[in-house]
Amino acid sequence: MKVRELVEKANLKVFSGEKGLDNEISGGYTCDLLSDVMGHAEAGSIWITLQTHKNVMAIASLKELAAIVLVKGYKPDDDTFLQSNKENIPILGTDAETFEISGIIYHLITR
Amino acid sequence: MYFEYEVVGGDFTNAGSTSSSVKKTLKQLNVDPVIIKRTVVALYEAEVNIVAHAYKGKIYINIEEDSISIRLVDEGPGIPDIDKAMEIGFSTASVSVREMGFGAGMGLPNMKNNSDRLIVTSEVGKGTIIEIYNKLQQ
């Protein structure tokens, strides 16, 4: 599934990185510990987190993740936003809690 | 090929910039993506450790035809007990660093899992040297 399609189906906001909306999603990873994501997330995953600082972009870029979803209405920091546009890795958002959005996205991408 | 980079303690904004630049270089050299990933994970963790724990540091990268050697030398507090630091979950990171999602005690284990050879030497009150060696061909 493309990021664009997930945005529509899961009713996500698109904050930045619009050029990456055609990135293909091959899986998902839910975690707020950056080293865990660094160590274990697979390339092409959509990453669900509450971390909003610029280092999430460093991780997303190094791990070649498809997109990031910020939970509970969190917004990316300004430099995170800019980096997302530079890397073409979208930052998406939802008001839902982590558990809830993880479940929704899990069902959508594994169907 | 030989490169040198400087890292400033506490500068989280630029954490990962060396890893990102090394990744680009290895891609240009057509290194196996699995090996690039391993190298970049190990380097990123080591780079972030300088930012999170040390005052400043230098990263020396030497890329040969069949291997990459990375040496990270920092001026910082040093590690009193390296075996303890290698344990998953052990961390001395500050509260603010932990709030960012770092400091979960996974950095050194990640480095070990993603390098063919990892050498950690440290002197308390002076600094730490991390050496990462990976073969570039399987």
Side-chain angles (χ1 to χ4, degrees), chain A residues 34-35 53-55 61 64, chain B residues 12 23 27 45 100-101 110:
Chain A
L34 272 57
S35 282
H53 55 84
K54 194 184 166 194
N55 297 274
S61 161
E64 297 175 3
Chain B
F12 276 98
K23 184 183 172 194
K27 267 194 164 173
E45 293 291 359
M100 292 177 81
N110 269 355

Side-chain angles (χ1 to χ4, degrees), chain A residues 59-74:
Chain A
I59 306 257
S61 161
L62 291 170
K63 297 295 283 185
E64 297 175 3
L65 304 181
I68 297 166
V69 180
L70 301 180
V71 298
K72 300 202 287 189
Y74 282 97

Side-chain angles (χ1 to χ4, degrees), chain A residues 32-43 50-51 53-56 58-64 79 87, chain B residues 12-16 19-20 23 27 37 40-41 44-45 48 98-104 106-107 110 113-114:
Chain A
D32 300 323
L33 294 178
L34 272 57
S35 282
D36 184 60
V37 179
M38 199 62 199
H40 303 287
E42 297 286 341
L50 52 68
Q51 299 288 357
H53 55 84
K54 194 184 166 194
N55 297 274
V56 298
I59 306 257
S61 161
L62 291 170
K63 297 295 283 185
E64 297 175 3
D79 51 2
E87 305 269 3
Chain B
F12 276 98
T13 314
N14 291 308
S19 310
S20 150
K23 184 183 172 194
K27 267 194 164 173
K37 258 181 227 161
V40 162
V41 170
Y44 179 79
E45 293 291 359
V48 165
R98 284 171 200 258
E99 277 172 357
M100 292 177 81
F102 294 113
M106 302 174 87
N110 269 355
N113 288 338
N114 288 284

